[in-house]
Amino acid sequence: MSHPSYPTQPDEALRQIQASPSYAAQLLLTTAAVLRIQAERTLHPRVLDIALGFGADAIVGELPMAVQLDALDKARAVLPPVDDTVTHGEYALRLDATAKTV
C-alpha cells in the first residue's frame, strides 16, 4: 500500500496525460507551425486544409482511424474563420490561442 502523499506510478502517468495537450490541440499547434513557414502570405482556405492535413499526418497519422477522425473533427470545429485579409502568420497566432481551449 502506498502512502497517500506519494504518487503511485499510475497516478503519475494519469497526471502526465492530463497535463498533455489533446490531440486536437497538438494538431492546431502543428498546423500553426506549418503556416509560419510562409507567414507573410495571405491565407486561402485550401492552404489551411493542406496545412491541417500535414498536422494530422504528423500528430495522429499512426493512430487508429477513429482517433484520427475525432482529433480532426475537434480541431475543425474550433478553427477561427478565414477572411481574405489574414496572413498565415496572423492565423497561426489565432490557432495558438485556440489550441489552449481544446
Side-chain angles (χ1 to χ4, degrees):
M1 178 181 241
S2 65
H3 189 276
S5 64
Y6 298 106
T8 63
Q9 219 171 2
D11 290 338
E12 180 58 22
L14 182 58
R15 186 198 63 72
Q16 288 179 4
I17 289 170
Q18 290 173 330
S20 299
S22 68
Y23 287 131
Q26 291 177 50
L27 207 158
L28 293 172
L29 294 170
T30 303
T31 302
V34 170
L35 291 175
R36 283 190 181 92
I37 294 170
Q38 294 182 330
E40 71 289 342
R41 295 192 69 182
T42 301
L43 183 62
H44 184 277
R46 180 70 184 127
V47 172
L48 176 58
D49 285 340
I50 292 168
L52 194 59
F54 283 126
D57 286 346
I59 300 302
V60 294
E62 299 295 319
L63 298 174
M65 185 60 67
V67 177
Q68 291 180 36
L69 294 175
D70 182 61
L72 272 167
D73 288 346
K74 287 178 179 174
R76 286 186 191 278
V78 298
L79 286 175
V82 177
D83 62 55
D84 59 356
T85 63
V86 69
T87 66
H88 291 199
E90 292 169 297
Y91 199 80
L93 292 173
R94 294 177 189 176
L95 290 178
D96 290 340
T98 302
K100 296 174 185 175
T101 68
V102 292

